[in-house]
Amino acid sequence: MSKKRVLVIEDDQDVSKILQALLSSLDVEVITAADGLEAIKAAGKVRPDLCLVDLHLPKLNGLDVIRIIRAMPGLGEIPIAIITGNTTADYIKEAVLLGVSDFLVKANFLSGGSLDRIRRLLDQRSSRAPSAGRRDERMKVLVVDDDEDVRAQLLTRLAAMNVRVLLAEVGLQAVAVAAAEQPALMLVDLDLPSMNGLEVIRVVRSLHAHQGPGVLIVTAKATKAAVEEARDLGVLHVISKTDIGTP
């Protein structure tokens, strides 16, 4: 069986080399491109199973690269993940509308994190064929928290309610999951890496013509100003993390 192909689109050669070394542990073939035009040529030639795209590229920016790849025959549905050091809400919203599967914080990825998420994206590519199984009609609830213990506690409590639980560890990932899965309810921590909880809510709200999902804030601490801003964004309730374990 041939190896899966990952196209890394990154203009910083040092970063590109680190990404190649990290991805080698997944037993994939890594192809690199250092600018937007080179990326388009490489995508058409190698037909990658996954693209990792930096937003800020020479010659053609990352969003334009994604648009063009999406329009290529046979590449319209491949998983694409953004790798970024920093970006804006407008960039995030546009990337989500282009069907980006995930957002990976560059510093976290370069330190060895996020490889499990890359592996899941590659598995997602393998299972694109429609399933003959019954569709899961349970209500979707997205839990957004960077604390693994808190995610586990919420997952346990929610699973007992017969809902489908989705998980996100960082703000950018939460936006991507919310856009792709359209959850009915989100449980969001305020203090998150890459984007804080209020920014996540704001961006998710902007992706919907109407109100979008219901939102509960689950936080260890919140200032009065943060709570007031959350209320203005239509948050249903603010829950203390100390109450999670309470039956």
Side-chain angles (χ1 to χ4, degrees):
M1 183 182 294
S2 60
K3 291 183 178 181
K4 293 181 180 178
R5 296 173 174 176
V6 178
L7 176 57
V8 173
I9 307 171
E10 169 63 62
D11 62 316
D12 186 316
Q13 291 303 303
D14 291 335
V15 171
S16 181
K17 289 177 182 177
I18 295 173
L19 291 174
Q20 291 174 65
L22 289 169
L23 291 167
S24 66
S25 67
L26 301 181
D27 193 29
V28 296
E29 180 183 351
V30 181
I31 302 95
T32 62
D35 63 60
L37 294 179
E38 185 181 345
I40 297 305
K41 293 177 183 177
K45 182 178 180 181
V46 305
R47 321 296 292 176
D49 296 287
L50 170 66
C51 290
L52 304 180
V53 185
D54 185 18
L55 285 178
H56 305 291
L57 296 167
K59 299 185 180 178
L60 203 63
N61 70 46
L63 291 176
D64 287 335
V65 168
I66 295 169
R67 285 191 195 94
I68 294 170
I69 290 176
R70 284 280 181 245
M72 289 181 170
L75 297 183
E77 305 237 339
I78 67 167
I80 296 177
I82 297 291
I83 303 179
T84 184
N86 58 61
T87 188
T88 65
D90 287 341
Y91 269 116
I92 295 164
K93 180 178 178 179
E94 194 161 357
V96 167
L97 293 173
L98 287 170
V100 167
S101 301
D102 205 347
F103 294 86
L104 306 176
V105 179
K106 191 175 288 188
N108 182 40
F109 197 2
L110 296 181
S111 66
S114 304
L115 281 178
D116 283 344
R117 282 156 64 180
I118 294 295
R119 189 179 289 108
R120 285 196 293 271
L121 290 175
L122 289 167
D123 291 343
Q124 170 188 327
R125 173 63 168 168
S126 300
S127 58
R128 280 290 183 177
S131 172
R134 185 178 177 182
R135 184 178 176 183
D136 190 342
E137 298 289 352
R138 292 176 297 168
M139 184 179 79
K140 297 177 184 177
V141 179
L142 173 58
V143 173
V144 188
D145 200 299
D146 61 325
D147 187 312
E148 185 176 0
D149 290 338
V150 173
R151 290 198 307 274
Q153 289 174 2
L154 289 171
L155 177 60
T156 300
R157 290 178 68 87
L158 290 167
M161 301 177 188
N162 194 32
V163 298
R164 181 180 168 195
V165 183
L166 310 168
L167 300 174
E169 302 171 28
V170 297
L172 293 172
Q173 182 191 16
V175 172
V177 173
E181 297 288 347
Q182 301 289 307
L185 180 66
M186 295 174 59
L187 278 61
V188 184
D189 185 19
L190 286 179
D191 187 14
L192 295 169
S194 76
M195 292 176 70
N196 67 44
L198 292 175
E199 290 171 330
V200 169
I201 298 165
R202 196 176 295 111
V203 173
V204 170
R205 287 274 190 257
S206 72
L207 293 170
H208 295 266
H210 302 292
Q211 181 75 354
V215 179
L216 301 176
I217 294 292
V218 182
T219 183
K221 57 182 179 180
T223 65
K224 182 178 179 181
V227 171
E228 290 176 352
E229 187 172 355
R231 300 290 190 201
D232 290 341
L233 289 169
V235 166
L236 300 172
H237 193 54
V238 178
I239 303 170
S240 170
K241 286 186 178 181
T242 58
D243 295 332
I244 292 175
T246 304

